[in-house]
Amino acid sequence: MKLLRYLLLSASALVPLQPVAAECLTRGTGDMGIVIERAAGSLKVVDTSNHSELFRVTGLGDLSHASAVYSRDGRYAFVFGRDGGLTKVDILCGNIVKRLIQSGNSIGGAISQDGSLIAVSNYEPGGVKIFSSTALDLVADIPATEIKDREGKLKGSKTVGLVDAPGNRFAVSLFESGEAWVIDMKQQDAPKIIKHTGIGSLPYDALVTPDGRFYLSGLFGEDGLSLLDLWHPETPARKILQEYGRGEQKLPVYKMPHLEGWAMAGDRAFLPAVGRHEVLIVKRGEWQEEARIKVHSQPVFVMARPDGRQVWVNFAFPDNDTIQVIDTESFEIIKTLKTGKGTLHMEFTPRGEEVWISVRDSDEVQIYDTDSLELLHRLPADKPSGIFFTSRAHQTGL
Amino acid sequence: MEIAPHRQAELIYLLRHDCGSCHGMRLEGGLGPALMPERLSDWNSEQLALTILYGRPGTPMPPWRPFLTDKEAYWLAARLKAGLQP
C-alpha cells in the first residue's frame, strides 16, 4: 500500500474522472459558488440568488482544510485538498474536469493574475508546485528550504499563506525556516525567486492586501507579523506589532487563526490575535496597533463585509458555536449569534447583503441578512467547511 | 478502560475534526505531524497520553487537559497506537 501510494504520488498520477453530468447549465456564474463537504470529500455547487443547490460533486478526496480559487471566467473551481489533491471542477456542468494528486499533503493555493497558472503550497514534501490552469500540466516545481526534523533528517519546510500578486507573481511563507518568498512567473520556464530569510518564527499563514501591495505573514512563534512591500520586493521584510502582547501569557491555541481575506475597513485592518480573545485593529501605513476589541474567544476568521461597515468573526474550539459582528465605526460588538457547534467558515455574497455560514455539526449552511442580522435560510450540507463564491475570481489574494 | 460508547464516539469525532484541524481529518498530518501507528511507534501510550493532556511547549500543540480525563487521553492514545479505520 505504501509502495503503491509512493508510486502514485511520484507520478503525479491522474485519478479516474467522473462521468460527465448529462446536462450543463446555460447561465452566468456570477451568483454561484461552492460549499466544501469536508468529511464526504464532496462539494455542493450553489446558487446564491435562489439559496439553492445546483449540483453535488463527489470524489475529491480528503477535503479537511480544503480551499478553492476560480478561473477568471468564473466557470472552473480549483480545489486544493489536504491529501495533495488538485481538482478542477466545472461548476456549470457539475463535474470534475481533471484531478491529480500532486503531493502527499497540501494546504492551499492561488491562481495567477493572468489566470494561466495554479500554484499549490505543500506540507509534504514542502515547497510550491505550479500548474497550467488549462490542463493542470506541471510548469514549475519549487522545493522549499530544507530543515532538520526530529530525527535529524533533512526535509523541506512546509509552505503556507500562498497568494497571488500583481505581475504574475506569487508570495509564500515557509513555516519552519521562517522565510517569505516572492516567486515571479512572468517567464514561466524560468521562475525568479526573491527569498527573504529571518522574517520571524513559525509563520503559520499570510495574506495580501486587496490591491496586491502588502504581504503579511502571521507568526506563531513570536508576537507580531512580518510585512513585505511587494512594490519593492527586494526591500527586507519588517516586523510590525512586535510590542503587542509582550510578556503576556498566551492561551493554548486549539485552532490556528486564518489570515485569508483581508478584513479591511477604510484604512484599518482587523486581524485575529493568536492565543488571545481579541481582534486587533491596525492602521494601514504606519502599521501600528490602534485598538483591541475583546471578543467571545480566540478568533479564527475575521472577515469584513464587502462595504467595510461590519466585521464578522468566528472562533476556535471549544467556542466554535458563535459568531460576533463588529461595527467598524464604533468598534462595538453589535450582535452575538449562536450559530451552533462547528461554525467553521463565512462567505459574503459579492456585494455583501448576505453572508453564508457553514455549521459543521448541524450539517447545514445558514444564510443571514447582514442588515437585519436575521437568519434567512438553512441549506443542508454534509459537514460543511469552506464556502467559496465566484466573485473571488476577480479579487487579488483570494 | 471503560468509556461509555457515546463518549467514545464523541472522542473519535473530536480526534478527527478538532485534532484533525492540525493533524488532518484522516490523521495523515498537516501543520502537525501524522498520527498514524508507524509515526507513533517510538512512544508508548502513556507518553502519548501525556502529550495529549499537557501539549508540547514550544510547538503549537496545546494541552487538551480541560476537555479530557486521564482515562480518556489514555484511551485515545491506545486507539492511535492501534490505528483508526478511515
Side-chain angles (χ1 to χ4, degrees):
Chain A
M1 187 59 215
K2 209 175 164 187
L3 177 69
L4 178 66
R5 189 169 161 167
Y6 173 74
L7 289 173
L8 283 171
L9 295 180
S10 55
S12 280
L14 292 178
V15 178
L17 300 181
Q18 290 197 148
V20 174
E23 301 268 332
C24 296
L25 299 170
T26 307
R27 57 174 283 170
T29 64
D31 60 350
M32 289 171 64
I34 60 171
V35 176
I36 303 286
E37 296 180 315
R38 70 198 298 263
S42 54
L43 60 82
K44 283 189 165 178
V45 178
V46 294
D47 176 323
T48 57
S49 298
N50 295 310
H51 300 168
S52 62
E53 174 187 337
L54 300 169
F55 297 108
R56 185 159 185 263
V57 184
T58 58
L60 284 89
D62 182 353
L63 294 183
S64 56
H65 215 289
S67 62
V69 297
Y70 283 95
S71 60
R72 60 193 282 153
D73 63 5
R75 175 165 182 173
Y76 301 99
F78 298 89
V79 182
F80 309 101
R82 179 34 75 73
D83 56 4
L86 168 59
T87 310
K88 181 174 179 178
V89 176
D90 181 338
I91 63 169
L92 284 178
C93 300
N95 67 307
I96 293 175
V97 178
K98 194 154 187 179
R99 171 168 162 77
L100 51 92
I101 301 291
Q102 56 82 40
S103 79
N105 195 315
S106 70
I107 187 62
I111 186 163
S112 62
Q113 183 180 35
D114 70 358
S116 71
L117 298 170
I118 303 291
V120 193
S121 64
N122 288 318
Y123 278 175
E124 189 62 52
V128 175
K129 279 191 182 173
I130 300 177
F131 299 88
S132 71
S133 60
T134 46
L136 302 187
D137 292 327
L138 186 67
V139 173
D141 184 353
I142 299 168
T145 303
E146 292 194 315
I147 42 102
K148 280 200 179 134
D149 72 3
R150 200 171 41 86
E151 285 103 20
K153 270 191 313 204
L154 283 175
K155 55 176 281 188
S157 214
K158 297 181 187 99
T159 52
V160 298
L162 175 63
V163 300
D164 61 294
N168 252 27
R169 294 178 298 170
F170 294 104
V172 68
S173 300
L174 285 72
F175 182 65
E176 291 92 344
S177 62
E179 295 174 71
W181 291 3
V182 182
I183 303 167
D184 185 330
M185 290 299 293
K186 271 193 283 294
Q187 246 191 288
Q188 297 198 355
D189 54 349
K192 274 192 280 211
I193 307 175
I194 300 172
K195 300 181 179 180
H196 294 277
T197 55
I199 66 157
S201 172
L202 301 177
Y204 65 89
D205 196 9
L207 58 79
V208 66
T209 48
D211 58 7
R213 176 164 182 184
F214 295 104
Y215 180 70
L216 276 130
S217 310
L219 303 174
F220 186 83
E222 62 183 283
D223 288 319
L225 295 100
S226 165
L227 175 81
L228 208 55
D229 182 350
L230 298 174
W231 283 11
H232 305 283
E234 305 280 356
T235 305
R238 68 185 171 100
K239 279 187 201 154
I240 60 166
L241 301 180
Q242 264 179 301
E243 300 307 312
Y244 174 71
R246 178 143 295 177
E248 290 170 30
Q249 186 65 42
K250 279 187 192 173
L251 301 166
V253 177
Y254 293 102
K255 169 89 186 95
M256 285 284 196
H258 277 257
L259 296 177
E260 173 228 272
W262 174 250
M264 201 87 194
D267 60 352
R268 292 190 180 105
F270 291 71
L271 298 168
V274 187
R276 301 172 206 284
H277 295 185
E278 288 168 359
V279 168
L280 298 182
I281 302 171
V282 182
K283 251 318 217 320
R284 183 180 160 135
E286 311 111 69
W287 302 106
Q288 304 261 317
E289 177 188 333
E290 187 181 356
R292 306 175 190 189
I293 304 172
K294 288 267 176 233
V295 289
H296 174 65
S297 181
Q298 293 183 36
V300 175
F301 282 100
V302 175
M303 301 178 94
R305 198 172 72 175
D307 66 347
R309 186 71 173 83
Q310 297 169 353
V311 164
W312 290 54
V313 186
N314 73 337
F315 301 98
F317 174 89
D319 300 315
N320 60 12
D321 62 345
T322 300
I323 293 264
Q324 286 187 315
V325 185
I326 298 169
D327 179 313
T328 56
E329 209 169 40
S330 65
F331 299 169
E332 268 165 29
I333 293 165
I334 54 170
K335 186 87 174 181
T336 298
L337 299 165
K338 288 290 171 189
T339 41
K341 274 186 87 67
T343 294
L344 298 184
H345 196 225
M346 304 165 268
E347 179 85 333
F348 290 94
T349 48
R351 298 194 184 194
E353 78 288 354
E354 288 174 4
V355 63
W356 290 41
I357 298 173
S358 52
V359 187
R360 182 192 64 201
D361 289 12
S362 40
D363 292 307
E364 64 180 11
V365 172
Q366 299 177 3
I367 304 168
Y368 287 83
D369 181 314
T370 62
D371 186 39
S372 67
L373 306 176
E374 296 293 332
L375 178 66
L376 296 174
H377 202 94
R378 298 172 194 265
L379 204 64
D382 184 358
K383 302 275 170 287
S385 54
I387 306 175
F388 305 95
F389 293 159
T390 53
S391 47
R392 289 171 175 253
H394 307 119
Q395 289 174 278
T396 297
L398 294 183
Chain B
M1 273 185 276
E2 290 302 306
I3 291 176
H6 81 273
R7 182 58 182 160
Q8 291 189 12
E10 280 176 10
L11 291 173
I12 294 298
Y13 192 85
L14 176 89
L15 181 65
R16 291 205 177 283
H17 290 280
D18 295 302
C19 306
S21 64
C22 279
H23 297 283
M25 203 169 49
R26 297 180 183 175
L27 308 179
E28 290 173 349
L31 203 60
L35 301 178
M36 310 299 275
E38 56 202 71
R39 178 68 171 75
L40 300 176
S41 58
D42 289 352
W43 296 278
N44 60 35
S45 294
E46 186 175 1
Q47 290 168 317
L48 292 178
L50 289 173
T51 304
I52 294 170
L53 289 170
Y54 299 104
R56 289 191 63 207
T59 78
M61 175 68 180
W64 292 82
R65 192 84 195 80
F67 315 106
L68 300 171
T69 65
D70 289 4
K71 208 167 74 174
E72 289 169 347
Y74 277 81
W75 183 82
L76 273 174
R79 287 300 301 265
L80 288 171
K81 292 282 287 180
L84 288 174
Q85 294 307 308

